[in-house]
Structure formats: C-alpha cells, structure tokens
Amino acid sequence: MPRPSKRPRYTLEQNLQPQSETQGLEGAQFLVAEEEASSSSTCSSSFPLSSSSSSCYPLIPSTPEEVSATGTPSTSQSSRTSSSPSAAMAVSLSSNSAAGSSSPEEEGASISQAPPDPEALLRDAIDDKVADLVQFLLFKYQTKELITEAEMLTTVIKEYQDHFPVIFREASECMQLVFGVDVKEVDPTNHSYVLTNTLGLTYDGMLSGDQGVPKTGILILILSIIFLEGNCVPEEKIWKALSVIGVYAGREHFIYGEPQKLITDDWVQERYLEYRQVPNSNPARYEFLWGPRTHAETSKMKVLEFLANVNGSDPRSFPLWYEEALRDEDERAQASVVAMDVTTAMASESARAVASSSSCPE
C-alpha cells in the first residue's frame, strides 16, 4: 500500500459539553476546520480526517445558550474556544500570515538564523511513525491477522521504541475515528491485538477482495448525528456536517470514495441508513434515520458511550441523551423477552404436534 503524501491537517474543536437538564436535542454544531500548513500531529499528516490528542470527533452538541439563533457562538463558548488547542493553532496561523507580510530578504534571514527545534523534529518523526503504524494496521485489518506489540516494534517503530505508547495511542485513535476500526488487546501477557469494527457493526464498506480501506468511520459519524439530532436528520444537515471534514456530495474522497453513492446507496442498501422523502416537501427534500441493521447491530447506548469516550467524558454527563439511551435499552430487553417467549411457545407447540402425530392409535 503506497504511503500517501503529507496533507493539510483539519483540526476540529474538542468541545462536547455536558448537557444541562433544560437542554433539548439541539443537535450538533460544526466548527470550521482549521488548516495547518506544517506537518500535523498524529496521523493527520497523511490522513486529514484524523483525530489527535488536541482534536476530536467533529460532533459538538450545543445548548441554546452557547449558540444564538444566527449561529454565532456566545461569549461563554468563545472563551472556551480561546483556550483550546485549535484556537491556539488559529492564533499561530494568524501570526504566520502576519509574518508573511515581511520582505523575502527578512523572511530568508529569519529562517537561516532560526536553529532547528529538537521538539519539532521529534514530533515530525513521531507523526511519520504514527502514519506508518496506521498503514501497517490497515494491512493487518485486510489480512485479518493478529497483531503483537513485538511485531509493531520491530516492523514499524524501530528506533523510536521509547515513544511507542504515544505512537500506538494516536494510531489507535486514528483507526477508530477515521476508519471505524477498534484496536483491542486480546492477550495482555503477549500484548497481542485484534482489529474489529467499532460499535459492533459488521459491514465496513469494503467489497469482497477490495484493496481499499474500511469506511465505517463516516457511517459512525452519521449515526451519531442522527442520534444527537433526535433520530431524524435532514439530508442537507448531514452534508453540511460532512463538509467540515472535507467530504462533499459528488466529489471523490481519497478515503471514502464517492460519498453520495456510499451514503445514499451503499449504506441504504445495507440497511444501516433509512433515506426517505420528507413528508409534504415540495420540492422534494430527504432525511436520514437509523436503518434496521443499525438497530440490530448496535444501540443508542453504545453510540453515546463511544462519543463520551472520544471526548474523555461519561455518558451520564449528557442526561437527556443518556435517559433516551436507557429507554432504548429497556425496550430492547423487553423485545428480547417477548421474542424468547414466542420462540419457547412455538417450540412447545411443535413438540406437542410431533408427539401427537407419533403416538400409536389405541
């Protein structure tokens, strides 16, 4: 698998704030991606949709107090953003832009006088190793092979073994958020790992024998938006959200291919998404819901736990969504009991019928 060239980084603000009791399902506010010209942290140097320790899944549920009707962040939100890593990056970019107004001679002189930053050089080297490890993990995902820490150290990490915990953590985050693949330890003694689809989903968007990459990450993002938005989302809101991470309808994406086909065709045919016309809409508008396969393979609680984990929080920090997820768990449990009772009754009836037909006449 050829290694992709370095690409600009798109950092998304980590700001999944705990809900207040009065908060409704106001949905997800999406911040504009900030493009970083230099090499990025984590695997975003090669995969622009990646997460890092300073960025997060692009789902930012907002309370009415945080965002006004015009979509402008309130003072409280702005103050939070000003202290965030992505805000610091924005300041840095602004500074670089201002510095760009100097003459070429001055710029060249400042560059020549600036000594190399050892920390920056190390960060660049770690970035490269994260990207290498992600590609190694993707290969192992395709071949369905077990992975050991020893193999990662000797094959990929090599002379940077002291930094393996950081490299492994960031590569694992990238695998989960971009590709929808979890890196799970199965043997703590030998430190061996398996790669499984996030949320228990069984289809990864790859055709049989496909040499591409798993595409479950974008499905998980859409399922999360649908849940946070009240279980039904207009199509235009989905595309607006995806545009934040550089995914557009009709435009080929280097990870997800043609997104419109993937989302409105493949995922719908696989019954992960329901795509229906908005009632009484003229001209016709469409909306997305969870499909029956999503309900069968995962749950609202799993999605909420995933989002909370990504943001270093607890599902209980979002009481309205947590209560909805609990109701969903109760309904699932009741449906399971009913299904079991029906199955038992049918089995008993079948057994009685067999016994009756096989009994000897007097």
Side-chain angles (χ1 to χ4, degrees), residues 286-316:
Y286 293 86
E287 59 191 6
F288 286 99
L289 300 85
W290 281 20
R293 188 169 174 180
T294 295
H295 286 287
E297 293 182 357
T298 192
S299 67
K300 294 178 180 180
M301 185 62 76
K302 287 182 179 178
V303 170
L304 184 58
E305 288 171 347
F306 167 77
L307 293 173
N309 179 66
V310 163
N311 287 274
S313 184
D314 183 275
R316 296 177 186 83

PDB file of all heavy atoms in Angstrom, residues 286-316:
ATOM      1  N   TYR A 286     -35.091  15.287   1.518  1.00  0.00           N
ATOM      2  CA  TYR A 286     -34.909  13.948   2.079  1.00  0.00           C
ATOM      3  C   TYR A 286     -34.261  14.018   3.453  1.00  0.00           C
ATOM      4  O   TYR A 286     -33.639  15.019   3.823  1.00  0.00           O
ATOM      5  CB  TYR A 286     -34.072  13.088   1.120  1.00  0.00           C
ATOM      6  CG  TYR A 286     -34.799  12.795  -0.172  1.00  0.00           C
ATOM      7  CD1 TYR A 286     -34.738  13.701  -1.226  1.00  0.00           C
ATOM      8  CD2 TYR A 286     -35.562  11.640  -0.316  1.00  0.00           C
ATOM      9  CE1 TYR A 286     -35.433  13.453  -2.412  1.00  0.00           C
ATOM     10  CE2 TYR A 286     -36.249  11.380  -1.498  1.00  0.00           C
ATOM     11  CZ  TYR A 286     -36.176  12.296  -2.530  1.00  0.00           C
ATOM     12  OH  TYR A 286     -36.860  12.042  -3.691  1.00  0.00           O
ATOM     13  N   GLU A 287     -34.434  12.929   4.208  1.00  0.00           N
ATOM     14  CA  GLU A 287     -33.895  12.869   5.557  1.00  0.00           C
ATOM     15  C   GLU A 287     -33.361  11.476   5.838  1.00  0.00           C
ATOM     16  O   GLU A 287     -33.706  10.508   5.164  1.00  0.00           O
ATOM     17  CB  GLU A 287     -34.974  13.241   6.580  1.00  0.00           C
ATOM     18  CG  GLU A 287     -36.202  12.345   6.523  1.00  0.00           C
ATOM     19  CD  GLU A 287     -37.370  12.873   7.341  1.00  0.00           C
ATOM     20  OE1 GLU A 287     -37.258  13.991   7.866  1.00  0.00           O
ATOM     21  OE2 GLU A 287     -38.390  12.163   7.443  1.00  0.00           O
ATOM     22  N   PHE A 288     -32.487  11.400   6.849  1.00  0.00           N
ATOM     23  CA  PHE A 288     -31.857  10.141   7.229  1.00  0.00           C
ATOM     24  C   PHE A 288     -32.330   9.702   8.604  1.00  0.00           C
ATOM     25  O   PHE A 288     -32.514  10.530   9.503  1.00  0.00           O
ATOM     26  CB  PHE A 288     -30.335  10.283   7.266  1.00  0.00           C
ATOM     27  CG  PHE A 288     -29.685  10.341   5.911  1.00  0.00           C
ATOM     28  CD1 PHE A 288     -29.316  11.555   5.353  1.00  0.00           C
ATOM     29  CD2 PHE A 288     -29.431   9.179   5.190  1.00  0.00           C
ATOM     30  CE1 PHE A 288     -28.712  11.617   4.113  1.00  0.00           C
ATOM     31  CE2 PHE A 288     -28.826   9.231   3.947  1.00  0.00           C
ATOM     32  CZ  PHE A 288     -28.462  10.454   3.403  1.00  0.00           C
ATOM     33  N   LEU A 289     -32.508   8.385   8.759  1.00  0.00           N
ATOM     34  CA  LEU A 289     -32.777   7.762  10.048  1.00  0.00           C
ATOM     35  C   LEU A 289     -31.881   6.526  10.156  1.00  0.00           C
ATOM     36  O   LEU A 289     -31.290   6.083   9.165  1.00  0.00           O
ATOM     37  CB  LEU A 289     -34.240   7.329  10.177  1.00  0.00           C
ATOM     38  CG  LEU A 289     -35.343   8.373  10.064  1.00  0.00           C
ATOM     39  CD1 LEU A 289     -35.723   8.641   8.610  1.00  0.00           C
ATOM     40  CD2 LEU A 289     -36.588   7.901  10.834  1.00  0.00           C
ATOM     41  N   TRP A 290     -31.805   5.975  11.354  1.00  0.00           N
ATOM     42  CA  TRP A 290     -31.135   4.680  11.504  1.00  0.00           C
ATOM     43  C   TRP A 290     -31.927   3.626  10.743  1.00  0.00           C
ATOM     44  O   TRP A 290     -33.159   3.583  10.801  1.00  0.00           O
ATOM     45  CB  TRP A 290     -31.074   4.279  12.975  1.00  0.00           C
ATOM     46  CG  TRP A 290     -30.001   4.942  13.771  1.00  0.00           C
ATOM     47  CD1 TRP A 290     -29.338   6.098  13.471  1.00  0.00           C
ATOM     48  CD2 TRP A 290     -29.469   4.488  15.022  1.00  0.00           C
ATOM     49  NE1 TRP A 290     -28.431   6.400  14.445  1.00  0.00           N
ATOM     50  CE2 TRP A 290     -28.491   5.429  15.410  1.00  0.00           C
ATOM     51  CE3 TRP A 290     -29.734   3.403  15.837  1.00  0.00           C
ATOM     52  CZ2 TRP A 290     -27.762   5.299  16.592  1.00  0.00           C
ATOM     53  CZ3 TRP A 290     -29.012   3.272  17.022  1.00  0.00           C
ATOM     54  CH2 TRP A 290     -28.037   4.199  17.395  1.00  0.00           C
ATOM     55  N   GLY A 291     -31.200   2.735  10.067  1.00  0.00           N
ATOM     56  CA  GLY A 291     -31.840   1.625   9.394  1.00  0.00           C
ATOM     57  C   GLY A 291     -31.993   0.431  10.322  1.00  0.00           C
ATOM     58  O   GLY A 291     -31.425   0.393  11.422  1.00  0.00           O
ATOM     59  N   PRO A 292     -32.748  -0.579   9.905  1.00  0.00           N
ATOM     60  CA  PRO A 292     -32.999  -1.747  10.769  1.00  0.00           C
ATOM     61  C   PRO A 292     -31.723  -2.499  11.129  1.00  0.00           C
ATOM     62  O   PRO A 292     -31.631  -3.052  12.226  1.00  0.00           O
ATOM     63  CB  PRO A 292     -33.943  -2.613   9.926  1.00  0.00           C
ATOM     64  CG  PRO A 292     -33.809  -2.125   8.517  1.00  0.00           C
ATOM     65  CD  PRO A 292     -33.484  -0.672   8.627  1.00  0.00           C
ATOM     66  N   ARG A 293     -30.731  -2.528  10.246  1.00  0.00           N
ATOM     67  CA  ARG A 293     -29.491  -3.253  10.557  1.00  0.00           C
ATOM     68  C   ARG A 293     -28.707  -2.537  11.653  1.00  0.00           C
ATOM     69  O   ARG A 293     -28.066  -3.181  12.484  1.00  0.00           O
ATOM     70  CB  ARG A 293     -28.642  -3.397   9.292  1.00  0.00           C
ATOM     71  CG  ARG A 293     -27.432  -4.301   9.469  1.00  0.00           C
ATOM     72  CD  ARG A 293     -26.809  -4.613   8.129  1.00  0.00           C
ATOM     73  NE  ARG A 293     -25.575  -5.360   8.264  1.00  0.00           N
ATOM     74  CZ  ARG A 293     -24.822  -5.754   7.229  1.00  0.00           C
ATOM     75  NH1 ARG A 293     -25.217  -5.478   5.988  1.00  0.00           N
ATOM     76  NH2 ARG A 293     -23.699  -6.416   7.424  1.00  0.00           N
ATOM     77  N   THR A 294     -28.769  -1.205  11.662  1.00  0.00           N
ATOM     78  CA  THR A 294     -28.127  -0.443  12.734  1.00  0.00           C
ATOM     79  C   THR A 294     -28.768  -0.776  14.073  1.00  0.00           C
ATOM     80  O   THR A 294     -28.080  -1.015  15.073  1.00  0.00           O
ATOM     81  CB  THR A 294     -28.222   1.066  12.461  1.00  0.00           C
ATOM     82  OG1 THR A 294     -27.482   1.388  11.287  1.00  0.00           O
ATOM     83  CG2 THR A 294     -27.679   1.871  13.635  1.00  0.00           C
ATOM     84  N   HIS A 295     -30.099  -0.785  14.105  1.00  0.00           N
ATOM     85  CA  HIS A 295     -30.801  -1.112  15.352  1.00  0.00           C
ATOM     86  C   HIS A 295     -30.467  -2.528  15.814  1.00  0.00           C
ATOM     87  O   HIS A 295     -30.416  -2.798  17.023  1.00  0.00           O
ATOM     88  CB  HIS A 295     -32.314  -0.972  15.157  1.00  0.00           C
ATOM     89  CG  HIS A 295     -32.792   0.443  15.100  1.00  0.00           C
ATOM     90  ND1 HIS A 295     -32.850   1.260  16.211  1.00  0.00           N
ATOM     91  CD2 HIS A 295     -33.215   1.198  14.055  1.00  0.00           C
ATOM     92  CE1 HIS A 295     -33.307   2.451  15.872  1.00  0.00           C
ATOM     93  NE2 HIS A 295     -33.536   2.443  14.568  1.00  0.00           N
ATOM     94  N   ALA A 296     -30.239  -3.423  14.860  1.00  0.00           N
ATOM     95  CA  ALA A 296     -29.961  -4.817  15.219  1.00  0.00           C
ATOM     96  C   ALA A 296     -28.531  -5.001  15.724  1.00  0.00           C
ATOM     97  O   ALA A 296     -28.286  -5.829  16.611  1.00  0.00           O
ATOM     98  CB  ALA A 296     -30.210  -5.718  14.008  1.00  0.00           C
ATOM     99  N   GLU A 297     -27.582  -4.246  15.184  1.00  0.00           N
ATOM    100  CA  GLU A 297     -26.171  -4.489  15.487  1.00  0.00           C
ATOM    101  C   GLU A 297     -25.597  -3.600  16.579  1.00  0.00           C
ATOM    102  O   GLU A 297     -24.615  -3.964  17.223  1.00  0.00           O
ATOM    103  CB  GLU A 297     -25.338  -4.321  14.210  1.00  0.00           C
ATOM    104  CG  GLU A 297     -25.625  -5.381  13.166  1.00  0.00           C
ATOM    105  CD  GLU A 297     -24.763  -5.246  11.932  1.00  0.00           C
ATOM    106  OE1 GLU A 297     -23.960  -4.288  11.853  1.00  0.00           O
ATOM    107  OE2 GLU A 297     -24.872  -6.101  11.039  1.00  0.00           O
ATOM    108  N   THR A 298     -26.187  -2.443  16.793  1.00  0.00           N
ATOM    109  CA  THR A 298     -25.656  -1.551  17.818  1.00  0.00           C
ATOM    110  C   THR A 298     -26.817  -0.922  18.572  1.00  0.00           C
ATOM    111  O   THR A 298     -27.958  -1.359  18.452  1.00  0.00           O
ATOM    112  CB  THR A 298     -24.731  -0.492  17.194  1.00  0.00           C
ATOM    113  OG1 THR A 298     -24.005   0.194  18.235  1.00  0.00           O
ATOM    114  CG2 THR A 298     -25.499   0.534  16.369  1.00  0.00           C
ATOM    115  N   SER A 299     -26.549   0.079  19.372  1.00  0.00           N
ATOM    116  CA  SER A 299     -27.603   0.705  20.177  1.00  0.00           C
ATOM    117  C   SER A 299     -27.254   2.156  20.447  1.00  0.00           C
ATOM    118  O   SER A 299     -26.111   2.585  20.266  1.00  0.00           O
ATOM    119  CB  SER A 299     -27.773  -0.042  21.503  1.00  0.00           C
ATOM    120  OG  SER A 299     -26.617   0.128  22.322  1.00  0.00           O
ATOM    121  N   LYS A 300     -28.237   2.897  20.906  1.00  0.00           N
ATOM    122  CA  LYS A 300     -28.008   4.296  21.256  1.00  0.00           C
ATOM    123  C   LYS A 300     -27.014   4.410  22.405  1.00  0.00           C
ATOM    124  O   LYS A 300     -26.201   5.344  22.438  1.00  0.00           O
ATOM    125  CB  LYS A 300     -29.331   4.963  21.630  1.00  0.00           C
ATOM    126  CG  LYS A 300     -30.296   5.079  20.461  1.00  0.00           C
ATOM    127  CD  LYS A 300     -31.620   5.704  20.877  1.00  0.00           C
ATOM    128  CE  LYS A 300     -32.569   5.800  19.683  1.00  0.00           C
ATOM    129  NZ  LYS A 300     -33.863   6.401  20.054  1.00  0.00           N
ATOM    130  N   MET A 301     -27.067   3.460  23.329  1.00  0.00           N
ATOM    131  CA  MET A 301     -26.132   3.500  24.451  1.00  0.00           C
ATOM    132  C   MET A 301     -24.696   3.309  23.971  1.00  0.00           C
ATOM    133  O   MET A 301     -23.778   3.994  24.439  1.00  0.00           O
ATOM    134  CB  MET A 301     -26.494   2.444  25.488  1.00  0.00           C
ATOM    135  CG  MET A 301     -25.634   2.490  26.745  1.00  0.00           C
ATOM    136  SD  MET A 301     -25.789   4.070  27.640  1.00  0.00           S
ATOM    137  CE  MET A 301     -27.410   3.847  28.411  1.00  0.00           C
ATOM    138  N   LYS A 302     -24.487   2.390  23.037  1.00  0.00           N
ATOM    139  CA  LYS A 302     -23.138   2.180  22.507  1.00  0.00           C
ATOM    140  C   LYS A 302     -22.625   3.423  21.794  1.00  0.00           C
ATOM    141  O   LYS A 302     -21.451   3.787  21.908  1.00  0.00           O
ATOM    142  CB  LYS A 302     -23.129   0.987  21.553  1.00  0.00           C
ATOM    143  CG  LYS A 302     -23.259  -0.363  22.243  1.00  0.00           C
ATOM    144  CD  LYS A 302     -23.198  -1.502  21.236  1.00  0.00           C
ATOM    145  CE  LYS A 302     -23.311  -2.852  21.919  1.00  0.00           C
ATOM    146  NZ  LYS A 302     -23.290  -3.973  20.925  1.00  0.00           N
ATOM    147  N   VAL A 303     -23.502   4.088  21.042  1.00  0.00           N
ATOM    148  CA  VAL A 303     -23.108   5.316  20.353  1.00  0.00           C
ATOM    149  C   VAL A 303     -22.760   6.406  21.364  1.00  0.00           C
ATOM    150  O   VAL A 303     -21.746   7.101  21.229  1.00  0.00           O
ATOM    151  CB  VAL A 303     -24.226   5.791  19.401  1.00  0.00           C
ATOM    152  CG1 VAL A 303     -23.929   7.192  18.870  1.00  0.00           C
ATOM    153  CG2 VAL A 303     -24.387   4.811  18.245  1.00  0.00           C
ATOM    154  N   LEU A 304     -23.583   6.539  22.396  1.00  0.00           N
ATOM    155  CA  LEU A 304     -23.319   7.563  23.411  1.00  0.00           C
ATOM    156  C   LEU A 304     -22.032   7.253  24.164  1.00  0.00           C
ATOM    157  O   LEU A 304     -21.240   8.163  24.450  1.00  0.00           O
ATOM    158  CB  LEU A 304     -24.496   7.654  24.375  1.00  0.00           C
ATOM    159  CG  LEU A 304     -24.402   8.745  25.448  1.00  0.00           C
ATOM    160  CD1 LEU A 304     -24.250  10.115  24.806  1.00  0.00           C
ATOM    161  CD2 LEU A 304     -25.624   8.711  26.350  1.00  0.00           C
ATOM    162  N   GLU A 305     -21.814   6.000  24.496  1.00  0.00           N
ATOM    163  CA  GLU A 305     -20.570   5.614  25.172  1.00  0.00           C
ATOM    164  C   GLU A 305     -19.362   5.904  24.290  1.00  0.00           C
ATOM    165  O   GLU A 305     -18.319   6.357  24.778  1.00  0.00           O
ATOM    166  CB  GLU A 305     -20.620   4.129  25.543  1.00  0.00           C
ATOM    167  CG  GLU A 305     -21.573   3.825  26.683  1.00  0.00           C
ATOM    168  CD  GLU A 305     -21.763   2.327  26.896  1.00  0.00           C
ATOM    169  OE1 GLU A 305     -21.353   1.533  26.015  1.00  0.00           O
ATOM    170  OE2 GLU A 305     -22.325   1.945  27.943  1.00  0.00           O
ATOM    171  N   PHE A 306     -19.506   5.645  23.006  1.00  0.00           N
ATOM    172  CA  PHE A 306     -18.425   5.934  22.063  1.00  0.00           C
ATOM    173  C   PHE A 306     -18.110   7.430  22.050  1.00  0.00           C
ATOM    174  O   PHE A 306     -16.945   7.835  22.157  1.00  0.00           O
ATOM    175  CB  PHE A 306     -18.829   5.462  20.662  1.00  0.00           C
ATOM    176  CG  PHE A 306     -17.955   5.978  19.556  1.00  0.00           C
ATOM    177  CD1 PHE A 306     -16.709   5.427  19.320  1.00  0.00           C
ATOM    178  CD2 PHE A 306     -18.379   7.026  18.755  1.00  0.00           C
ATOM    179  CE1 PHE A 306     -15.899   5.907  18.299  1.00  0.00           C
ATOM    180  CE2 PHE A 306     -17.585   7.509  17.734  1.00  0.00           C
ATOM    181  CZ  PHE A 306     -16.340   6.952  17.509  1.00  0.00           C
ATOM    182  N   LEU A 307     -19.143   8.263  21.922  1.00  0.00           N
ATOM    183  CA  LEU A 307     -18.931   9.711  21.875  1.00  0.00           C
ATOM    184  C   LEU A 307     -18.343  10.234  23.182  1.00  0.00           C
ATOM    185  O   LEU A 307     -17.462  11.089  23.173  1.00  0.00           O
ATOM    186  CB  LEU A 307     -20.254  10.420  21.566  1.00  0.00           C
ATOM    187  CG  LEU A 307     -20.834  10.182  20.171  1.00  0.00           C
ATOM    188  CD1 LEU A 307     -22.226  10.794  20.060  1.00  0.00           C
ATOM    189  CD2 LEU A 307     -19.920  10.740  19.098  1.00  0.00           C
ATOM    190  N   ALA A 308     -18.845   9.721  24.294  1.00  0.00           N
ATOM    191  CA  ALA A 308     -18.325  10.156  25.586  1.00  0.00           C
ATOM    192  C   ALA A 308     -16.870   9.751  25.745  1.00  0.00           C
ATOM    193  O   ALA A 308     -16.037  10.530  26.230  1.00  0.00           O
ATOM    194  CB  ALA A 308     -19.173   9.565  26.711  1.00  0.00           C
ATOM    195  N   ASN A 309     -16.535   8.533  25.330  1.00  0.00           N
ATOM    196  CA  ASN A 309     -15.158   8.058  25.422  1.00  0.00           C
ATOM    197  C   ASN A 309     -14.222   8.894  24.564  1.00  0.00           C
ATOM    198  O   ASN A 309     -13.112   9.258  24.983  1.00  0.00           O
ATOM    199  CB  ASN A 309     -15.088   6.592  25.006  1.00  0.00           C
ATOM    200  CG  ASN A 309     -13.675   6.049  25.061  1.00  0.00           C
ATOM    201  OD1 ASN A 309     -13.077   5.933  26.131  1.00  0.00           O
ATOM    202  ND2 ASN A 309     -13.122   5.713  23.895  1.00  0.00           N
ATOM    203  N   VAL A 310     -14.659   9.230  23.359  1.00  0.00           N
ATOM    204  CA  VAL A 310     -13.849  10.043  22.461  1.00  0.00           C
ATOM    205  C   VAL A 310     -13.549  11.398  23.098  1.00  0.00           C
ATOM    206  O   VAL A 310     -12.458  11.957  22.932  1.00  0.00           O
ATOM    207  CB  VAL A 310     -14.584  10.224  21.109  1.00  0.00           C
ATOM    208  CG1 VAL A 310     -13.986  11.374  20.312  1.00  0.00           C
ATOM    209  CG2 VAL A 310     -14.500   8.940  20.300  1.00  0.00           C
ATOM    210  N   ASN A 311     -14.507  11.921  23.838  1.00  0.00           N
ATOM    211  CA  ASN A 311     -14.350  13.235  24.439  1.00  0.00           C
ATOM    212  C   ASN A 311     -13.875  13.180  25.890  1.00  0.00           C
ATOM    213  O   ASN A 311     -13.901  14.189  26.588  1.00  0.00           O
ATOM    214  CB  ASN A 311     -15.681  13.991  24.362  1.00  0.00           C
ATOM    215  CG  ASN A 311     -15.987  14.437  22.962  1.00  0.00           C
ATOM    216  OD1 ASN A 311     -15.547  15.493  22.533  1.00  0.00           O
ATOM    217  ND2 ASN A 311     -16.724  13.632  22.208  1.00  0.00           N
ATOM    218  N   GLY A 312     -13.443  11.993  26.344  1.00  0.00           N
ATOM    219  CA  GLY A 312     -12.918  11.879  27.693  1.00  0.00           C
ATOM    220  C   GLY A 312     -13.950  12.171  28.758  1.00  0.00           C
ATOM    221  O   GLY A 312     -13.639  12.756  29.804  1.00  0.00           O
ATOM    222  N   SER A 313     -15.194  11.773  28.496  1.00  0.00           N
ATOM    223  CA  SER A 313     -16.273  12.088  29.415  1.00  0.00           C
ATOM    224  C   SER A 313     -17.009  10.804  29.780  1.00  0.00           C
ATOM    225  O   SER A 313     -16.536   9.703  29.532  1.00  0.00           O
ATOM    226  CB  SER A 313     -17.228  13.105  28.775  1.00  0.00           C
ATOM    227  OG  SER A 313     -18.234  13.498  29.668  1.00  0.00           O
ATOM    228  N   ASP A 314     -18.176  10.985  30.409  1.00  0.00           N
ATOM    229  CA  ASP A 314     -19.003   9.857  30.827  1.00  0.00           C
ATOM    230  C   ASP A 314     -20.392  10.047  30.236  1.00  0.00           C
ATOM    231  O   ASP A 314     -20.881  11.180  30.167  1.00  0.00           O
ATOM    232  CB  ASP A 314     -19.081   9.818  32.365  1.00  0.00           C
ATOM    233  CG  ASP A 314     -19.862   8.611  32.859  1.00  0.00           C
ATOM    234  OD1 ASP A 314     -21.103   8.702  32.930  1.00  0.00           O
ATOM    235  OD2 ASP A 314     -19.221   7.587  33.169  1.00  0.00           O
ATOM    236  N   PRO A 315     -21.041   8.964  29.789  1.00  0.00           N
ATOM    237  CA  PRO A 315     -22.379   9.109  29.209  1.00  0.00           C
ATOM    238  C   PRO A 315     -23.361   9.834  30.115  1.00  0.00           C
ATOM    239  O   PRO A 315     -24.255  10.538  29.639  1.00  0.00           O
ATOM    240  CB  PRO A 315     -22.815   7.658  28.965  1.00  0.00           C
ATOM    241  CG  PRO A 315     -21.546   6.893  28.815  1.00  0.00           C
ATOM    242  CD  PRO A 315     -20.565   7.565  29.744  1.00  0.00           C
ATOM    243  N   ARG A 316     -23.190   9.688  31.428  1.00  0.00           N
ATOM    244  CA  ARG A 316     -24.112  10.341  32.361  1.00  0.00           C
ATOM    245  C   ARG A 316     -23.958  11.861  32.366  1.00  0.00           C
ATOM    246  O   ARG A 316     -24.810  12.568  32.925  1.00  0.00           O
ATOM    247  CB  ARG A 316     -23.895   9.797  33.774  1.00  0.00           C
ATOM    248  CG  ARG A 316     -24.209   8.318  33.917  1.00  0.00           C
ATOM    249  CD  ARG A 316     -23.902   7.823  35.313  1.00  0.00           C
ATOM    250  NE  ARG A 316     -24.057   6.379  35.452  1.00  0.00           N
ATOM    251  CZ  ARG A 316     -23.134   5.497  35.125  1.00  0.00           C
ATOM    252  NH1 ARG A 316     -21.976   5.919  34.628  1.00  0.00           N
ATOM    253  NH2 ARG A 316     -23.342   4.203  35.265  1.00  0.00           N
TER     254      ARG A 316
END
